[in-house]
Amino acid sequence: TRVRVDTRQSLTAGTALVDGSILLVDESGVGWLSRDDGRSFGRVLPTQQFPFLALQASAQGGAVAVGMNGISFFTPDTLSLSR
């Protein structure tokens, strides 16, 4: 099955969040959130945007992203704005 994510950037990491949502990140540091089992994705921004290499869900409902420039966060508040 193919899924459309509205980016021309390569997807570099992904994780399942505690609520079952799927969060992907692309090489420009933008997050892509799905709340419908991956059928569609909406754009979300981290606290700091730069290329990410790894992504880990947090117990609080957000995610931690890591890249060459350090660590950034997708906060639960930011992720809830995409609903």
Side-chain angles (χ1 to χ4, degrees):
T1 301
R2 288 185 175 230
V3 176
R4 179 170 164 72
V5 178
D6 194 21
T7 182
R8 292 179 180 253
Q9 306 295 320
S10 295
L11 298 173
T12 56
T15 191
L17 302 176
V18 295
D19 68 357
S21 299
I22 300 167
L23 180 61
L24 307 175
V25 290
D26 68 28
E27 64 186 355
S28 71
V30 172
W32 298 95
L33 182 66
S34 175
R35 297 196 184 279
D36 60 5
D37 297 319
R39 288 186 288 279
S40 64
F41 287 84
R43 187 175 190 257
V44 292
L45 295 176
T47 55
Q48 295 180 340
Q49 189 177 344
F50 51 85
F52 299 124
L53 302 173
L55 185 64
Q56 177 66 47
S58 70
Q60 294 78 25
V64 178
V66 179
M68 290 176 35
N69 294 345
I71 298 171
S72 188
F73 302 93
F74 290 89
T75 66
D77 289 340
T78 300
L79 296 175
S80 69
L81 293 175
S82 71
R83 288 181 191 247

